[in-house]
């Protein structure tokens, strides 16, 4: 029930706002609560530099460190998900050689769930959900995160289209 309420909240954010930053912050917050994770970070792909840049995050600690990270496409679990376009669960990040340690944060056991963001049939970014407690992700978590990512992708697409129209109008 809580999960459906969360999807509804995200859907409302998608249709009531065209401000991308506001939508992504709302998404990260609701995603963290509904999927019941410790951290949620939304990365967008900077196509010019081919790197993933955090656009929004909902974390307890080390927010500045998370927001400062830049992941080359294909690097880390998140970068790999953005490169392949396939969601992935890594329940022991310390044991996965692809996992990237965020500089300035403590080394600790964590589980990661990453899903791609698709806009106009291209990967536009990725969402990374993190558990830092002794829990693991399951297939239903991946399914729910994929639904959230679909909502977020629609919001990104609409906000970018709105921005293009607004820019053209001003020109």
């Amino acid at each position: 029930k809580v999960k459906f309420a969360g999807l509804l909240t995200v859907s409302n954010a998608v249709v009531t706002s065209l401000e991308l930053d506001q939508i992504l912050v709302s998404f990260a917050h609701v995603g963290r609560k509904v999927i019941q994770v410790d951290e949620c970070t939304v990365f967008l792909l900077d196509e010019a530099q081919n790197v993933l840049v955090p656009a929004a995050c909902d974390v307890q600690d080390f927010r500045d460190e998370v927001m400062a990270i830049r992941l080359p496409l294909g690097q880390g679990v998140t970068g790999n998900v953005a490169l392949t376009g396939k969601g992935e669960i890594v329940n022991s990040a310390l044991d996965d050689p692809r996992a990237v340690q965020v500089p300035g944060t403590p080394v600790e056991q964590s589980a990661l769930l990453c899903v791609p963001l698709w806009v106009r049939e291209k990967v536009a970014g990725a969402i990374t959900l993190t558990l830092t407690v002794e829990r693991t992700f399951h297939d239903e978590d991946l399914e729910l995160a994929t639904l959230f990512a679909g909502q977020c992708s629609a919001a990104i697409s609409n906000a970018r289209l709105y921005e293009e129209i607004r820019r053209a109008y001003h020109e």
Side-chain angles (χ1 to χ4, degrees):
K1 202 170 183 178
V2 171
K3 293 177 181 179
F4 291 119
L7 274 175
L8 187 59
T9 301
V10 170
S11 294
N12 286 338
V14 168
V15 297
T16 58
S17 177
L18 288 169
E19 296 298 326
L20 186 57
D21 293 345
Q22 180 183 336
I23 292 168
L24 296 179
V25 167
S26 171
F27 177 84
H29 179 68
V30 172
R32 187 177 73 78
K33 283 174 44 181
V34 171
I35 304 175
Q36 297 176 345
V37 296
D38 300 303
E39 301 175 356
C40 178
T41 305
V42 180
F43 291 87
L44 292 181
L45 179 62
D46 177 336
E47 290 185 45
Q49 298 186 32
N50 230 20
V51 296
L52 292 164
V53 179
C57 74
D58 192 345
V59 298
Q60 297 289 342
D61 300 308
F62 304 107
R63 184 182 188 285
D64 292 343
E65 288 81 355
V66 171
M67 291 301 285
I69 196 169
R70 299 294 179 264
L71 276 176
L73 195 60
Q75 183 180 336
V77 177
T78 302
N80 190 58
V81 164
L83 183 65
T84 64
K86 294 187 172 109
E88 189 173 349
I89 292 172
V90 174
N91 275 320
S92 182
L94 279 180
D95 298 327
D96 192 312
R98 299 170 304 160
V100 172
Q101 176 68 27
V102 176
T105 64
V107 176
E108 59 188 352
Q109 186 57 266
S110 61
L112 303 174
L113 187 159
C114 300
V115 288
L117 292 169
W118 289 89
V119 174
R120 296 180 188 163
E121 298 179 22
K122 286 174 37 183
V123 174
I127 298 163
T128 299
L129 303 166
T130 308
L131 290 170
T132 56
V133 292
E134 292 296 317
R135 280 185 38 229
T136 56
F137 286 111
H138 303 283
D139 288 341
E140 44 292 356
D141 297 314
L142 183 59
E143 290 172 18
L144 184 59
T146 300
L147 289 172
F148 268 95
Q151 294 289 323
C152 193
S153 295
I156 292 168
S157 183
N158 290 343
R160 286 181 174 171
L161 190 59
Y162 172 71
E163 191 54 43
E164 287 172 23
I165 291 168
R166 192 164 71 176
R167 193 176 11 232
Y169 175 76
H170 285 295
E171 288 174 2

